[in-house]
Amino acid sequence: MLNINKQYPLLNIFLHSESALDSIEAIQNNHAQLALIMADAEDEDFIREKISSPNWRLSKVFEDQFSIFVNKDCPLSSKKISVDILKEYVFITFSNLEMLYNEKYRVRREGFNKNKTVYINHNSDVFRILMHSTSSFAILSNIFRASNPYIESGSIVSVETDFIPWTANHYLIEPVKDFYDPVRRMISEAIRAEYKKIVQELQRK
């Protein structure tokens, strides 16, 4: 974004963090020109239905997996995890999207562990909370492993389970026509380039 602003000093770029559904609504209402969203792979058809306008294109730029992340001193880090066990712990989340919580049933996050769920505004706050809590867990995309100081320090670890991971797809929503050419295309290409770097880093790990 800094490089683009150097070339176009009069251009105002605003970044806004929302859930996938809120981002789609912003696109449909012309409040945003590009959207980068993440969702369970099984939600792709649902997302395509939500993007009803033929003026917008949904393209997958990265495929990832979801995992459970906990504090290294959390009892969950050393035991076989089940959905029933997770109900005893606080669920930290920055989104209320629908997601699978076992092999067969789809529920809303506010219905899962409802009395022990904490909603926050930004994904980085998830790791800050986990740093100080041994009774919490988070379900996040493995993309957060890339250049993450909390994970690299060993303070936060991921846990293997029978029902995690699910496939997490990252999508870019952009206009079919280059309405914002050349700036829109530059931003889109920059996003894809950053994802390519992340994929390479995850593969090395």
Side-chain angles (χ1 to χ4, degrees), residues 11-169:
L11 176 68
N12 292 320
I13 299 177
F14 296 93
L15 300 180
H16 195 62
S17 178
E18 291 279 8
S19 72
L21 295 182
D22 288 334
S23 296
I24 293 172
E25 183 176 344
I27 287 288
Q28 292 176 324
N29 294 333
N30 294 318
H31 294 157
Q33 286 77 50
L34 284 172
L36 186 64
I37 65 174
M38 178 184 68
D40 189 295
E42 294 191 3
D43 290 331
E44 182 171 343
D45 290 340
F46 172 75
I47 293 173
R48 291 188 182 278
E49 289 178 3
K50 296 289 288 185
I51 306 174
S52 56
S53 172
N55 295 325
W56 298 98
R57 174 175 56 232
L58 178 73
S59 59
K60 185 170 70 175
V61 293
F62 178 50
E63 182 176 304
D64 196 11
Q65 300 290 322
F66 286 108
S67 290
I68 290 180
F69 290 85
V70 298
N71 185 300
K72 65 179 177 60
D73 296 321
C74 177
L76 291 174
S77 65
S78 59
K79 64 170 62 175
K80 184 72 172 181
I81 296 181
S82 67
V83 174
D84 290 335
I85 291 177
L86 289 180
K87 291 180 179 179
E88 302 300 319
Y89 291 81
V90 177
F91 178 34
I92 310 298
T93 179
F94 64 96
S95 173
N96 60 356
L97 288 176
E98 292 182 352
M99 183 181 288
L100 289 174
Y101 283 99
N102 55 44
E103 303 92 331
K104 298 180 180 179
Y105 301 101
R106 178 174 295 275
V107 298
R108 293 192 64 82
R109 281 189 172 183
E110 55 263 40
F112 174 80
N113 214 9
K114 185 174 183 179
N115 297 326
K116 293 184 178 182
T117 301
V118 177
Y119 294 98
I120 58 178
N121 295 325
H122 198 274
N123 56 64
S124 62
D125 291 331
V126 172
F127 292 97
R128 297 191 184 103
I129 294 175
L130 292 180
M131 279 287 293
H132 302 286
S133 173
T134 59
S135 60
S136 303
F137 73 96
I139 300 177
L140 298 170
S141 165
N142 284 333
I143 192 175
F144 294 107
R145 296 176 187 271
S147 301
N148 189 308
Y150 299 112
I151 294 176
E152 292 175 353
S153 68
S155 301
I156 305 296
V157 297
S158 60
V159 185
E160 298 296 329
T161 70
D162 291 337
F163 55 93
I164 300 279
W166 311 296
T167 301
N169 286 337

Side-chain angles (χ1 to χ4, degrees), residues 157-196:
V157 297
S158 60
V159 185
E160 298 296 329
T161 70
D162 291 337
F163 55 93
I164 300 279
W166 311 296
T167 301
N169 286 337
H170 302 254
Y171 302 95
L172 185 63
I173 305 175
E174 54 192 335
V176 173
K177 297 181 180 179
D178 289 332
F179 297 130
Y180 308 99
D181 179 68
V183 177
R184 198 282 309 160
R185 188 167 60 243
M186 289 177 61
I187 297 176
S188 176
E189 290 174 352
I191 290 173
R192 294 178 188 277
E194 285 301 312
Y195 266 106
K196 186 176 180 180

